[in-house]
Amino acid sequence: MELSKYARKLGENASSAARVLRASSEESRNAALDALSKILLKDAFAILSANAEDVEDAKAAGLSAAMIDRLTLNPHRLKGIARAVDEIAALPDPLNKLIDKKRRKDGLKISRVSVPIGTVLFIYESRPNVTIDGAALCIKSGNAVILRGGKETLRSNAALAACIRKALKAAKLPEAAAQVVSTPDRALLDLLLRDDAHIDLVIPRGGETLIRAVVEKSSIPVIKHYKGVCHTYVDKTADLKKAAAILLNAKVQRPSACNALETLLLDKSLKASAGTALLKALADQGVGLYGDAASRKLSRSVKAASPSAYDTEYLELKASVKVVDGVRGAVDHIAKHGTGHTDAVLAESEKVQQAFLAGVDSASVMINASTRFADGGEYGLGAEVGISTDKLHARGPMGVESLTTYKWIVEGNGHVRK
Amino acid sequence: MELSKYARKLGENASSAARVLRASSEESRNAALDALSKILLKDAFAILSANAEDVEDAKAAGLSAAMIDRLTLNPHRLKGIARAVDEIAALPDPLNKLIDKKRRKDGLKISRVSVPIGTVLFIYESRPNVTIDGAALCIKSGNAVILRGGKETLRSNAALAACIRKALKAAKLPEAAAQVVSTPDRALLDLLLRDDAHIDLVIPRGGETLIRAVVEKSSIPVIKHYKGVCHTYVDKTADLKKAAAILLNAKVQRPSACNALETLLLDKSLKASAGTALLKALADQGVGLYGDAASRKLSRSVKAASPSAYDTEYLELKASVKVVDGVRGAVDHIAKHGTGHTDAVLAESEKVQQAFLAGVDSASVMINASTRFADGGEYGLGAEVGISTDKLHARGPMGVESLTTYKWIVEGNGHVRK
């Protein structure tokens, strides 16, 4: 099929499916998810065979070991994917919730209820689990979805798409409720990103380059996060034992996560011995430290920071360090170098905590806790749609609720406006 | 000053002011509004003199009478503008509201509180009252604002800007909290629309052409409504007396409003005499009717509809008419021609009401009431920021709450992630 015709079909089919989903029952949406979870295991052989071919090609093409790992499915991982679908099915229905309701003196009733957004375009890279995750989150929330994965996973995604179609059919929902794009052509993606008549929201998941390209091309609203340069500020009133444990957790537990610590800010009024001890704790765990002159005086394991250090998201066992002038200095540094993701203050003084909280404009602000908590699961949102460093609609970790909007309902009995 | 330098200054100054506003007290924001209301009346002579010059130029340039009316201020209108500021000041503080709060078993407290969005760019045409309205709404909600009015109102806006600066100064808030752009240069606007580092939200108010141009140029999220082709469907179960009153109110009370009726959909099972009576009631009020063959059979006052009739927002005493196959036919027509603004069903059957409600994906859905109710004031939102036909962040009439976002606050006591 011609590319522009294919793009139009994807949009139109999604839009028609969205009309059906909007009026669908919770039972039928959950039935589709229950079926999907079972079909994934029943069709495991087909999925794993398709995936093995993708992996073979990826190896032949010389892709990195990390990339190949992200791409690879095995029975254990497939079970995990099916379990995630079960967990999404078990969430409370995010639709038709009464948000607020009032009754005017003249008897007119005005209420707001949650409804699906419509059609969502998911754009992602090589993880095939996102295909199922994205489909399940959208089916749960009554949205049609177009799933566009990376070119490395075409065969895996085609096999997963077949499972999704079977599940939708079993639940008597339209198969176009979740369409998997069958070509990695960039030109097709560009066409979809301009189809604001049929697509209501774009969610890109992946590296900053991918996301910036999507934002540049899209005429549809995009919810995204570019990067997470997360700060932790240690005030002179911090409890040092807690501080050491929190810093290690924030940096070392999973350095590749977007909520991992990247920059440590030390209060200049903190005792030198305390600063030295905290830096040593990090260095002892193999964290490479890059800092300003003042922090280098505290520990010889701190190397000189390059000019771009404070804007760097390392995503590995490295961190930037800076000595700042109290909470005010920390707030100023974060205003300049922060990415609005997650920042923490370690202080026993409530005044300092409040000054940090009021001054730092980030999606999540942590008080005496690890930045690693910024996560949909940890926040009790059930399943995570993504993380947003945008300010509109959804901010920080997003649950399935972020895939809904609302509708005003006005009920009268012949009411006219005066 | 060079244009690009001016644009950068506007963005940077707004951004700095936003940092101060974010941490400002409700008292100081309200004090600024109280001062503004008083200064507007105290400086009435300067404002009205500047406005008279704008009006004189507009007349000399041959602007339409409607345009000149929108531009014109007089003591009565100025009092109305000052009163609107008082009303905004009297609204409850939209900031620092606890949205939700939970305490995990491990003692970690997770809450969400409302915070300002940051910097808002208001773009509008010739009404100088929007300058004050936009400034007041943003000050109330702790946002910095850049106000960019039409070229016809430069002198009026400069006089109003002087009042705003005085008011901010009196309340010890930064004068850059509300900046009025001093040049109508389109190139400057284009620069502002790309400054996503400093500006968080764009709200254009005006005609469809203005809004489409803004969306095309902006790299910043835009909240908008293009147009309101509002439908009212009269079911065979409708109470005809209520229906006549509602239709007249929806079409005749204020035809220039975006929530006025544009298309009347008549159930084909409605008695012919009933259809004829409803069309006569409209024609008797001078409403020009344009319809399909079936509706022309009901009344000779219905002229043949042009192919674009059902996509037309008349904004005057004209309406399109179509006979449809029950509520299903109405829902299908609205899916094709609707603008997602406001649509109404007139029916006594609850089943029909529910089918319409589930099938029509519009910001406001009315049951046995006039579409004219779709309005921030009527919904009890206090002051209206605008109307959105977008689905993200804010939908339908927007109150001052729509100028806020939220922040996650996580309070621990040395908590680390397992």
Side-chain angles (χ1 to χ4, degrees):
Chain A
M1 207 183 325
E2 194 195 325
L3 217 54
S4 63
K5 202 172 157 191
Y6 181 42
R8 199 170 56 240
K9 269 288 167 204
L10 285 167
E12 286 173 359
N13 291 346
S15 208
S16 308
R19 283 186 63 192
V20 178
L21 283 167
R22 205 157 63 217
S24 68
S25 67
E26 181 186 5
E27 288 69 34
S28 64
R29 284 178 274 117
N30 284 342
L33 297 179
D34 290 342
L36 178 56
S37 164
K38 290 192 180 79
I39 293 167
L40 284 173
L41 300 182
K42 212 175 128 236
D43 290 0
F45 182 74
I47 298 166
L48 295 176
S49 305
N51 183 253
E53 288 183 49
D54 280 339
V55 170
E56 209 169 298
D57 280 5
K59 282 180 179 162
L63 265 61
S64 72
M67 193 95 159
I68 287 169
D69 180 58
R70 284 200 285 274
L71 169 62
T72 303
L73 292 178
N74 57 40
H76 177 72
R77 286 185 174 180
L78 199 55
K79 265 189 210 164
I81 293 173
R83 202 179 318 116
V85 174
D86 292 335
E87 283 164 12
I88 291 169
L91 291 174
D93 189 8
L95 300 181
N96 305 307
K97 282 203 295 190
L98 188 64
I99 299 167
D100 45 48
K101 178 170 193 142
K102 63 189 115 189
R103 195 191 175 95
R104 307 198 327 174
K105 279 183 196 153
D106 63 2
L108 198 69
K109 282 185 273 183
I110 299 173
S111 54
R112 278 196 300 164
V113 296
S114 63
V115 297
I117 289 176
T119 298
V120 179
L121 171 60
F122 257 97
I123 302 167
Y124 48 103
E125 295 178 327
S126 56
R127 289 182 203 269
N129 64 304
V130 181
T131 306
I132 296 299
D133 218 33
L137 290 163
C138 286
I139 292 170
K140 180 75 190 184
S141 54
N143 291 286
V145 63
I146 299 174
L147 297 144
R148 197 274 190 190
K151 63 177 182 302
E152 309 78 18
T153 43
L154 278 182
R155 291 194 201 87
S156 312
N157 284 343
L160 295 170
C163 298
I164 300 170
R165 281 196 303 271
K166 280 187 205 173
L168 287 164
K169 205 172 170 186
K172 297 196 173 66
L173 288 174
E175 292 184 28
Q179 300 175 91
V180 176
V181 173
S182 64
T183 160
D185 202 317
R186 271 308 288 252
L188 176 74
L189 179 57
D190 292 351
L191 288 169
L192 292 174
L193 289 171
R194 306 297 297 177
D195 188 9
D196 48 23
H198 297 107
I199 304 174
D200 300 289
L201 172 61
V202 177
I203 302 181
R205 280 195 192 175
E208 198 181 344
T209 315
L210 168 77
I211 296 172
R212 292 220 177 260
V214 165
V215 169
E216 192 52 45
K217 300 271 184 171
S218 182
S219 67
I220 306 163
V222 181
I223 292 190
K224 62 199 174 290
H225 92 262
Y226 287 124
K227 55 182 186 175
V229 178
C230 301
H231 299 77
T232 300
Y233 164 64
V234 184
D235 187 69
K236 70 168 192 286
T237 70
D239 177 316
L240 291 173
K241 218 176 133 191
K242 291 180 203 166
I246 289 172
L247 291 177
L248 286 179
N249 183 259
K251 184 68 247 182
V252 178
Q253 192 217 16
R254 200 176 148 210
S256 65
C258 62
N259 54 18
L261 168 70
E262 302 294 6
T263 300
L264 169 61
L265 300 173
L266 296 171
D267 185 356
K268 72 168 188 179
S269 305
L270 190 72
K271 267 192 205 158
S273 60
T276 302
L278 291 175
L279 293 170
K280 182 174 186 306
L282 286 165
D284 284 352
Q285 293 290 321
V287 179
L289 299 168
Y290 304 87
D292 61 348
S295 64
R296 292 207 304 279
K297 274 187 202 157
L298 294 171
S299 164
R300 273 199 293 180
S301 44
V302 181
K303 296 191 186 78
S306 72
S308 64
Y310 297 116
D311 297 305
T312 301
E313 185 184 28
Y314 295 108
L315 296 174
E316 55 177 323
L317 281 180
K318 290 178 181 172
S320 306
V321 188
K322 195 180 175 189
V323 173
V324 295
D325 190 0
V327 66
R328 185 69 182 259
V331 165
D332 287 345
H333 179 92
I334 293 169
K336 204 168 158 195
H337 299 281
T339 51
H341 192 297
T342 303
D343 300 292
V345 56
L346 309 186
E348 296 299 306
S349 153
E350 245 185 66
K351 213 174 139 187
V352 169
Q353 294 173 2
Q354 288 310 312
F356 190 86
L357 196 52
V360 170
D361 185 31
S362 294
S364 294
V365 179
M366 309 284 171
I367 299 171
N368 293 330
S370 165
T371 53
R372 291 276 297 120
F373 282 112
D375 173 273
E378 296 291 325
Y379 285 5
L381 301 181
E384 190 172 277
V385 173
I387 285 198
S388 160
T389 52
D390 289 332
K391 291 183 170 181
L392 295 186
H393 188 72
R395 197 176 192 209
M398 301 189 283
V400 79
E401 195 185 71
S402 68
L403 294 177
T404 68
T405 179
Y406 56 81
K407 175 190 274 187
W408 294 90
I409 300 172
V410 178
E411 294 167 78
N413 182 25
H415 285 70
V416 297
R417 183 160 168 186
K418 298 284 180 300
Chain B
M1 205 182 328
E2 196 195 324
L3 218 54
S4 64
K5 202 173 156 192
Y6 180 43
R8 199 171 55 240
K9 268 286 167 208
L10 284 166
E12 286 173 359
N13 291 347
S15 207
S16 309
R19 282 186 64 191
V20 178
L21 283 167
R22 206 156 63 214
S24 68
S25 67
E26 181 186 5
E27 289 67 34
S28 64
R29 284 178 274 118
N30 284 342
L33 297 179
D34 291 342
L36 177 56
S37 165
K38 290 192 181 77
I39 293 167
L40 285 172
L41 300 182
K42 212 176 127 235
D43 290 1
F45 182 74
I47 297 166
L48 295 176
S49 305
N51 182 252
E53 288 183 48
D54 281 339
V55 171
E56 209 171 297
D57 281 4
K59 282 179 180 163
L63 264 61
S64 72
M67 193 96 160
I68 286 169
D69 179 59
R70 283 200 285 273
L71 170 61
T72 304
L73 293 178
N74 57 38
H76 177 71
R77 286 186 175 179
L78 199 54
K79 266 187 210 164
I81 293 173
R83 202 179 318 116
V85 174
D86 291 335
E87 283 166 12
I88 291 169
L91 291 174
D93 189 8
L95 301 182
N96 305 308
K97 282 202 297 190
L98 188 64
I99 299 167
D100 44 49
K101 179 171 191 141
K102 62 190 116 190
R103 193 191 176 95
R104 306 196 331 171
K105 278 184 197 150
D106 63 1
L108 199 68
K109 283 186 272 183
I110 299 174
S111 54
R112 278 195 302 163
V113 296
S114 64
V115 297
I117 289 176
T119 298
V120 179
L121 171 60
F122 257 97
I123 303 167
Y124 48 103
E125 296 178 327
S126 55
R127 290 181 201 270
N129 64 304
V130 181
T131 306
I132 296 299
D133 218 33
L137 289 163
C138 286
I139 292 169
K140 180 74 191 184
S141 54
N143 291 286
V145 62
I146 300 173
L147 297 144
R148 196 275 190 189
K151 62 178 184 303
E152 309 79 18
T153 43
L154 278 182
R155 291 194 200 87
S156 312
N157 284 343
L160 295 169
C163 298
I164 299 170
R165 281 197 302 272
K166 280 187 204 173
L168 286 164
K169 204 173 172 187
K172 297 196 172 69
L173 287 174
E175 293 185 28
Q179 301 176 89
V180 176
V181 173
S182 64
T183 160
D185 203 317
R186 271 307 288 252
L188 176 74
L189 179 57
D190 292 351
L191 289 169
L192 291 175
L193 289 171
R194 306 296 300 177
D195 188 9
D196 48 23
H198 298 106
I199 304 174
D200 299 290
L201 172 61
V202 177
I203 302 182
R205 279 194 193 176
E208 199 180 341
T209 316
L210 169 77
I211 296 172
R212 291 218 180 262
V214 165
V215 169
E216 192 53 44
K217 301 270 184 174
S218 182
S219 66
I220 305 163
V222 180
I223 292 191
K224 63 199 174 289
H225 90 262
Y226 287 124
K227 56 180 185 176
V229 177
C230 300
H231 300 77
T232 299
Y233 164 65
V234 185
D235 188 68
K236 70 168 193 284
T237 69
D239 177 317
L240 291 173
K241 220 179 131 189
K242 290 181 203 165
I246 288 172
L247 291 177
L248 286 178
N249 183 259
K251 183 68 247 180
V252 177
Q253 192 217 16
R254 199 175 150 210
S256 64
C258 62
N259 55 17
L261 168 70
E262 303 294 6
T263 300
L264 170 60
L265 300 174
L266 295 171
D267 186 355
K268 72 168 188 179
S269 305
L270 190 71
K271 266 192 203 161
S273 60
T276 303
L278 291 175
L279 292 169
K280 184 176 185 305
L282 285 164
D284 284 353
Q285 293 291 321
V287 178
L289 299 168
Y290 304 88
D292 60 347
S295 64
R296 292 208 303 282
K297 275 187 200 157
L298 294 172
S299 164
R300 275 199 292 178
S301 46
V302 181
K303 296 190 188 79
S306 71
S308 63
Y310 298 115
D311 297 305
T312 302
E313 184 184 28
Y314 295 107
L315 297 174
E316 56 177 322
L317 282 179
K318 291 178 180 171
S320 307
V321 188
K322 195 178 177 190
V323 173
V324 295
D325 190 0
V327 65
R328 184 69 182 260
V331 165
D332 286 346
H333 179 92
I334 293 169
K336 203 166 159 196
H337 299 281
T339 51
H341 192 296
T342 303
D343 299 292
V345 56
L346 310 186
E348 296 299 306
S349 153
E350 245 185 67
K351 212 175 137 186
V352 169
Q353 294 173 2
Q354 287 310 315
F356 189 87
L357 195 53
V360 170
D361 185 32
S362 294
S364 294
V365 179
M366 307 285 170
I367 299 171
N368 294 329
S370 166
T371 53
R372 290 275 298 117
F373 282 111
D375 173 272
E378 296 291 326
Y379 285 5
L381 301 181
E384 191 171 278
V385 172
I387 284 198
S388 160
T389 53
D390 289 332
K391 291 183 169 179
L392 296 188
H393 188 70
R395 198 177 190 206
M398 300 189 283
V400 80
E401 195 185 71
S402 67
L403 294 178
T404 67
T405 180
Y406 55 81
K407 177 191 274 188
W408 294 91
I409 300 173
V410 178
E411 294 167 78
N413 181 25
H415 286 70
V416 297
R417 182 160 168 186
K418 297 283 180 304

